[in-house]
Amino acid sequence: MNSIRAIQKLNKRELEEGINPEASWHTDYRDTAFIYIGGLPFELSEGDVITVFSQYGEPVWMRLARDKETGKSKGFGWLKYEDQRSCDLAVDNLGGATLMDRVLKVDHTRYKPKDDEDMRDNTMGELDADDGNDSDGGRRKRRRTESESDSDDDRPLLPEEIELEKAMRDLDEEDPMKESLVKRLQEKAEHAVKKYKKSKRREKERDHKHHRHHRSSKRDGSRDRHGERRRIKHHDSEDEDRHRRREHKSRRDDSDDERHHKSPRRHRGGSSDREEARDKERSRRDRDRRDRSRERRRYSSDEEDYRRSRSKRSPRS
């Protein structure tokens, strides 16, 4: 009761002093559209409270405190308006009002919902459990409803609808055939609207499928290009390793051959210059022959590896 008198005293002083609404005490609660309601008769339901408070704005959410065991009302609750300015009107006009021999206490509040509390609009009755879930069916239903409403607002008038409006405007009120003619034109217009919506829905589905197919094919194409690039790089590294091992082996064979075919060093006094020259010439020819054969083998293997890599890099037919 003291809080009710304090609010009434504040409102009276603002009226007497002519305080600007921007400087009113209500501006401290511009960030919340909730009000606290106390002193409610225990017989009232949520719908009754909404009916009383809807004269100052559009309620979008209501919670009446009830006993967990019996389910009876505790006489207080919270209400949220669509427009915050409606809270100022409800606090000023219904605070201290008498309802069924009980004095109402109405004040601003910053309501903090619980983690699992549903804050959707419940002023039109009980909410279905499936309306707010995240299942695909619920989303599909909402998308269909929104698309249909958008198409109703954006679509042009069909010829059948224009004909119906013209008939309703031009036909004489005393014409006995007016009712049957209008009814027939209405059925014709409804059928045309259904047909138009069906065609638009099919067109959207076709565009959606085409877009999804294009996106998936683009993603697959990029994946193939990246995979082909990785395979080519891996094949090139294998070729380099194979070529490096082959060169190392050839150097090792050359050193072994030179050690094996090198003529033993003779004493300077026991060998003639002609024999030393003949041995050197023979070893040089053998070395040249081995180098030529090794170069031929290397060239043939490199050419074969190059052809193999080119065949793997070529695009598939």
Side-chain angles (χ1 to χ4, degrees):
M1 194 67 183
N2 293 332
S3 61
I4 297 175
R5 291 173 182 172
I7 293 174
Q8 291 177 348
K9 187 177 180 180
L10 284 172
N11 293 334
K12 184 179 179 181
R13 187 179 66 181
E14 288 183 355
L15 289 174
E16 292 175 353
E17 296 179 0
I19 296 177
N20 192 336
E22 296 298 329
S24 175
W25 68 278
H26 291 292
T27 57
D28 296 337
Y29 299 94
R30 284 289 186 261
D31 59 336
T32 176
F34 287 91
I35 59 173
Y36 169 80
I37 309 170
L40 290 170
F42 300 102
E43 296 84 1
L44 295 183
S45 63
E46 288 83 356
D48 298 329
V49 179
I50 291 172
T51 302
V52 174
F53 282 82
S54 61
Q55 56 185 318
Y56 296 109
E58 183 68 26
V60 295
W61 183 82
M62 171 65 194
R63 179 192 170 193
L64 191 62
R66 293 183 176 275
D67 187 86
K68 293 182 179 180
E69 297 181 356
T70 62
K72 294 182 179 180
S73 172
K74 294 183 179 181
F76 64 92
W78 299 266
L79 185 139
K80 180 182 180 182
Y81 280 108
E82 184 179 16
D83 192 343
Q84 190 276 334
R85 293 172 295 183
S86 302
C87 299
D88 302 344
L89 297 175
V91 171
D92 292 342
N93 293 279
L94 292 177
T98 302
L99 181 63
M100 297 177 64
D101 298 332
R102 296 200 67 184
V103 180
L104 296 178
K105 177 185 176 182
V106 184
D107 196 0
H108 296 281
T109 185
R110 291 181 174 87
Y111 184 80
K112 295 182 179 180
K114 300 178 181 179
D115 295 337
D116 56 346
E117 190 169 7
D118 193 352
M119 298 302 295
R120 291 177 296 163
D121 189 352
N122 59 359
T123 58
M124 301 302 292
E126 294 293 333
L127 295 173
D128 296 334
D130 293 334
D131 288 347
N133 59 6
D134 293 333
S135 62
D136 186 63
R139 290 198 298 270
R140 188 182 302 112
K141 184 177 180 181
R142 288 194 294 272
R143 285 198 299 268
R144 186 181 301 114
T145 304
E146 292 173 359
S147 63
E148 289 179 357
S149 62
D150 294 340
S151 62
D152 291 340
D153 296 336
D154 300 337
R155 67 175 180 82
L157 285 177
L158 300 177
E160 290 79 4
E161 293 176 318
I162 298 176
E163 185 180 1
L164 175 61
E165 291 182 356
K166 184 178 180 181
M168 295 178 65
R169 183 178 62 252
D170 297 341
L171 287 177
D172 190 0
E173 295 292 338
E174 298 180 357
D175 189 352
M177 298 296 295
K178 179 180 179 179
E179 183 177 357
S180 60
L181 181 60
V182 169
K183 185 177 180 180
R184 186 167 64 252
L185 292 176
Q186 284 179 348
E187 293 177 354
K188 187 178 179 181
E190 289 176 359
H191 179 72
V193 170
K194 290 181 180 179
K195 187 176 180 180
Y196 175 81
K197 289 181 178 180
K198 189 176 181 180
S199 62
K200 295 297 288 184
R201 188 163 55 250
R202 287 182 177 177
E203 184 178 354
K204 287 183 178 180
E205 291 177 356
R206 185 165 56 252
D207 294 340
H208 178 68
K209 289 181 179 179
H210 177 71
H211 178 69
R212 186 173 56 187
H213 176 70
H214 177 69
R215 185 171 53 188
S216 61
S217 62
K218 184 178 181 181
R219 185 169 58 249
D220 294 340
S222 62
R223 189 185 299 115
D224 292 341
R225 287 194 297 273
H226 292 311
E228 183 67 22
R229 192 177 300 116
R230 285 194 297 269
R231 287 194 295 270
I232 292 172
K233 186 176 181 180
H234 179 68
H235 179 72
D236 292 342
S237 62
E238 287 183 351
D239 292 342
E240 292 177 359
D241 294 339
R242 191 182 301 109
H243 186 66
R244 195 179 300 111
R245 288 196 300 268
R246 206 163 35 241
E247 288 182 352
H248 179 70
K249 185 178 179 181
S250 63
R251 293 197 201 100
R252 189 174 56 189
D253 294 341
D254 292 343
S255 61
D256 294 341
D257 292 341
E258 286 183 4
R259 285 196 300 268
H260 182 266
H261 290 88
K262 189 174 183 181
S263 61
R265 182 176 297 176
R266 297 179 177 84
H267 297 288
R268 185 171 299 177
S271 62
S272 62
D273 295 339
R274 187 180 300 174
E275 291 178 353
E276 289 180 358
R278 191 184 302 114
D279 293 336
K280 289 181 180 180
E281 183 66 21
R282 187 184 301 110
S283 61
R284 186 182 63 79
R285 285 198 300 270
D286 294 338
R287 187 167 56 252
D288 293 341
R289 191 185 302 109
R290 287 194 302 272
D291 291 339
R292 285 194 298 271
S293 62
R294 187 164 51 250
E295 286 294 328
R296 284 196 297 271
R297 290 197 302 270
R298 186 183 303 171
Y299 176 78
S300 61
S301 62
D302 291 342
E303 187 178 5
E304 183 179 359
D305 293 338
Y306 176 75
R307 287 199 301 270
R308 190 183 300 109
S309 62
R310 288 295 300 271
S311 62
K312 290 184 177 180
R313 292 180 189 177
S314 60
R316 300 177 181 174
S317 58

